[in-house]
C-alpha cells in the first residue's frame, strides 16, 4: 500500500517538474479530471458551426446571396484556420495550455455574437467578419483540446480519449443541425438559431473556466518559477524540426486534406442537398441531414475502445473511405430515403478522423504533437476552404443548381483517398513494424519505450530531433503545404470580392 502511495507521489512530482512529455505518466485522478473538463469546452463552437450549415437557405434568402457567396461564408471559418491552428499547436508545445483555452473560447463567443447581430441586421459583410473571428477561436480550441488529450493519454488509452472527444463534438454538431430550423420556425425568427449558438458558447466558457481553476488547484499556482524558466528556455521554436517530420505523417496529412474537405463541404450543403434532390421542406431536410452526425455520437467512443485493444487504425480508415463513396452514390443518383445516405456518410465521419488523429499522436514526438495536430487541422481547413468554394461554383453552373456535378467530385476524391490509404497501410507495415495496426500489449510497450526515450532528451534540455538529418523530401512536403495554403487564400479573396463567376 505504501509502495503504491509512493509511486503516485513520484508520478505527481514528475508532472509538476517535468514538461508536457511527463503528462503521460501522471496519476489517473489527474488524467480523469483533464479528460472530463477538456471534453466540454468546445461544445458551443461545434453547435454554432453546424447551425450555420443548417440555415443555408434562410441565409441565402435574407442576405440575398448566391451559392458561391454562401461558399465564401462557409469557408470564412476554415480560411482563417489555415494558419491559426499551427500557431496554437506551436504555443502548446512551447508553453503548455491552461488559460490560453479560455482566451480562444472568448474569440468563439465574440464571433458568435457578431454572427447573430449580422443575421439580425441582414449584413453579409458583418457575418463574414463574425465567422472569421469565430473561426480563429473554434480552430484553436479544437487543436488545443486534441493536443491536451494526446499529451495526457499518449502511452495508454489515447484512442479512448480521442473517441470520447469526437463523440461529444459530433453530438453538439448533431444538435446544431437538428434544432436550428425548428427553433427558427417555433420562434418565428430565423435569427434565434444564432442567438442559441451564442448562449451555448457562453456555457463553454464557463466549463473552460472550471478546467483552468481545477488545473490551478492541482498545481498549486497558475505559474511556478520553474515554469517561467522552462518557458524562457523553450521560447524559440525550432521551425526546422518540422522539416524532419516523418513521411508517414505527411501521408496522413494528405489523406486528411482530401477527406476533411469532402466531409466539411458535405456538411455545409447537406440540408439543401436533400431539399433540392428530394424536394422536401427545410425542417424535414434538417431532420434528415442531422442523421449525418448520428453514428459518430456513439460509434467514436466504441471505436476508441476497439482501437485501444485491437489497433486496426488503417483498416478502419479504409472502411471510412468505402462508406463515403457509397454515401455520395446513393445521395447523388438514387431516391432511396435520404436518411440512408446520410447514415452512410455518418459512418465515414465516425471511422475516419479518430484513426488519423490517434495515429499522429503515435508517429510524432510528444514535444511536437501540438504542432503536428495544428498542421493537421490547418490542412483540414485548407481543403475545406478550397472545396467549399469549388462546390459553390459547380452548383451555380449546373442546370437547375442541382448537385450532380458536386457528387461526382466527391466520388473522385473518395477514390483517390482510398488509394492513398492503401499506401499508408503498406508504409506503416513495412517501415513502422505495423505500429498503427498492432494490438494493445505490443503497442503499449513500444510507445512507453519511445516516450521514455523522448523524456530523457527533454530532461537534458535537448530537442528530440537533434540527431535527425533534414532530407530533401521534408522541403517538398512543406512547400506543397504552403502552395495549397496560398491557393486557398487566393480563391477566398477572388470569390469574396467578385461573387459568382461563370465557368
Amino acid at each position: 500500500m505504501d509502495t503504491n502511495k509512493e509511486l503516485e507521489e513520484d508520478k505527481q512530482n514528475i508532472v509538476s517538474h517535468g514538461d508536457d512529455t511527463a503528462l503521460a505518466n501522471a496519476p489517473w485522478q489527474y488524467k480523469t479530471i483533464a479528460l472530463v473538463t477538456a471534453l466540454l469546452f468546445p461544445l458551443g463552437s461545434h453547435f454554432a458551426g453546424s447551425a450555420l450549415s443548417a440555415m443555408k437557405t434562410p441565409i441565402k434568402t435574407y442576405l440575398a446571396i448566391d451559392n458561391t457567396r454562401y461558399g465564401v461564408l462557409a469557408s470564412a471559418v476554415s480560411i482563417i484556420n489555415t494558419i491559426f491552428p499551427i500557431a496554437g499547436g506551436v504555443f502548446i508545445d512551447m508553453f503548455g495550455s491552461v488559460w490560453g483555452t479560455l482566451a480562444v473560447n472568448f474569440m468563439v463567443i465574440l464571433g458568435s455574437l457578431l454572427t447573430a447581430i449580422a443575421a439580425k441586421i441582414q449584413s453579409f459583410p458583418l457575418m463574414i467578419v463574425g465567422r472569421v473571428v469565430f473561426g480563429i477561436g473554434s480552430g484553436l480550441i479544437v487543436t488545443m483540446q486534441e493536443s491536451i488529450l494526446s499529451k495526457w493519454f499518449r502511452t495508454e488509452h489515447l484512442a479512448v480519449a480521442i473517441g470520447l472527444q469526437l463523440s461529444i463534438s459530433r453530438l453538439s454538431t448533431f444538435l446544431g443541425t437538428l434544432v436550428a430550423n425548428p427553433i427558427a420556425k417555433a420562434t418565428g425568427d430565423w435569427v434565434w438559431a444564432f442567438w442559441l449558438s451564442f448562449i451555448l458558447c457562453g456555457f463553454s466558457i464557463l466549463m473552460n473556466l472550471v478546467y483552468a481553476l481545477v488545473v490551478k488547484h492541482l498545481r498549486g499556482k497558475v505559474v511556478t518559477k520553474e515554469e517561467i524558466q522552462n518557458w524562457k528556455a523553450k521560447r524559440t521554436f525550432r521551425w526546422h524540426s518540422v522539416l524532419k517530420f516523418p513521411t508517414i505523417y505527411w501521408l496522413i496529412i494528405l489523406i486528411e486534406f482530401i477527406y476533411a474537405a469532402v466531409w466539411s463541404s458535405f456538411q455545409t450543403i447537406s440540408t439543401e442537398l436533400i431539399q433540392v434532390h428530394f424536394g422536401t421542406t427545410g425542417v424535414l431536410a434538417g431532420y434528415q441531414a442531422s442523421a449525418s452526425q448520428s453514428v459518430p455520437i456513439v460509434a467514436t467512443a466504441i471505436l476508441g475502445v476497439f482501437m485501444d485493444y485491437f489497433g486496426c487504425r488503417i483498416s478502419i480508415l479504409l472502411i471510412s473511405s468505402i462508406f463515403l463513396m457509397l454515401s455520395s452514390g446513393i445521395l447523388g443518383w438514387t431516391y432511396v430515403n435520404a436518411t440512408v445516405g446520410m447514415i452512410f456518410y455518418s459512418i465515414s465521419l465516425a471511422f475516419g478522423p479518430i484513426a488519423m488523429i490517434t495515429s499522429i499522436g503515435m508517429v510524432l514526438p510528444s514535444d511536437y504533437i501540438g504542432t503536428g495536430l495544428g498542421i493537421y487541422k490547418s490542412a483540414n481547413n485548407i481543403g475545406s476552404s478550397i472545396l467549399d468554394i469549388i462546390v459553390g461554383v459547380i452548383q451555380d453552373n449546373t442546370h437547375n443548381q442541382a448537385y450532380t456535378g458536386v457528387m461526382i467530385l466527391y466520388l473522385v476524391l473518395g477514390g483517390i483517398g482510398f488509394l492513398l490509404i492503401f499506401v499508408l497501410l503498406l508504409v506503416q507495415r513495412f517501415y513502422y513494424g505495423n505500429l498503427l495496426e498492432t494490438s494493445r500489449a505490443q503497442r503499449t510497450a513500444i510507445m512507453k519505450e519511445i516516450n521514455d526515450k523522448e523524456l530523457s532528451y527533454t530532461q537534458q534540455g535537448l530537442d528530440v530531433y537533434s540527431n535527425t538529418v533534414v532530407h530533401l523530401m521534408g522541403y517538398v512536403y512543406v512547400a506543397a503545404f504552403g502552395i495549397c495554403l496560398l491557393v486557398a487564400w487566393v480563391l477566398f479573396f477572388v470569390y469574396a470580392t467578385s461573387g459568382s463567376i461563370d465557368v
Side-chain angles (χ1 to χ4, degrees), residues 273 276 394-396 398-406:
L273 167 64
V276 171
I394 291 175
Q395 188 187 2
D396 280 335
T398 302
H399 181 61
N400 292 329
Q401 295 194 346
Y403 278 96
T404 308
V406 174

Side-chain angles (χ1 to χ4, degrees), residues 151-390:
K151 289 173 185 287
W152 280 89
F153 297 95
R154 188 184 184 214
T155 56
E156 289 184 284
H157 309 300
L158 173 60
V160 176
I162 296 297
L164 289 171
Q165 181 254 336
L166 291 173
S167 180
I168 297 297
S169 298
R170 300 309 177 195
L171 176 60
S172 53
T173 301
F174 168 79
L175 291 175
T177 304
L178 180 67
V179 306
N181 279 290
I183 285 176
K185 184 177 180 180
T187 59
D189 184 359
W190 72 291
V191 182
W192 258 104
F194 300 105
W195 287 125
L196 179 60
S197 298
F198 171 70
I199 293 169
L200 289 177
C201 289
F203 172 78
S204 289
I205 283 190
L206 290 177
M207 294 300 100
N208 201 162
L209 183 60
V210 171
Y211 170 82
L213 292 174
V214 167
V215 173
K216 173 182 177 295
H217 173 74
L218 290 174
R219 302 187 68 176
K221 296 181 180 179
V222 178
V223 182
T224 65
K225 292 182 179 179
E226 290 161 320
E227 281 181 310
I228 294 174
Q229 292 173 354
N230 289 337
W231 289 2
K232 290 179 179 179
K234 296 179 68 176
R235 64 186 174 187
T236 302
F237 182 76
R238 301 176 179 91
W239 286 103
H240 68 277
S241 292
V242 175
L243 299 170
K244 301 178 182 180
F245 283 6
T247 295
I248 190 173
Y249 166 78
W250 292 107
L251 183 55
I252 294 171
I253 293 300
L254 178 57
I255 295 168
E256 160 69 7
F257 173 80
I258 294 172
Y259 278 108
V262 176
W263 287 325
S264 178
S265 67
F266 183 94
Q267 197 62 45
T268 63
I269 57 98
S270 59
T271 300
E272 190 183 61
L273 167 64
I274 296 174
Q275 288 180 265
V276 171
H277 186 66
F278 295 90
T280 62
T281 65
V283 173
L284 179 58
Y287 281 127
Q288 291 179 318
S290 67
S292 66
Q293 297 292 332
S294 59
V295 176
I297 294 172
V298 177
T300 48
I302 297 173
L303 280 170
V305 175
F306 177 86
M307 287 193 295
D308 187 52
Y309 281 93
F310 303 107
C312 302
R313 283 166 169 78
I314 311 306
S315 298
I316 289 172
L317 191 54
L318 281 170
I319 294 172
S320 170
S321 175
I322 292 170
F323 273 97
L324 179 61
M325 289 185 285
L326 287 174
S327 171
S328 298
I330 290 173
L331 291 171
W333 290 277
T334 76
Y335 288 92
V336 175
N337 191 302
T339 304
V340 176
M342 288 296 169
I343 289 176
F344 275 27
Y345 164 84
S346 188
I347 293 172
S348 174
L349 191 61
F351 281 49
I354 186 173
M356 289 187 283
I357 293 171
T358 57
S359 294
I360 288 174
M362 295 168 65
V363 302
L364 285 183
S366 181
D367 279 353
Y368 290 96
I369 287 177
T371 304
L373 287 173
I375 294 173
Y376 170 91
K377 185 68 176 177
S378 178
N380 178 323
N381 288 298
I382 290 171
S384 299
S385 298
I386 294 172
L387 200 58
D388 275 338
I389 294 172
I390 291 175

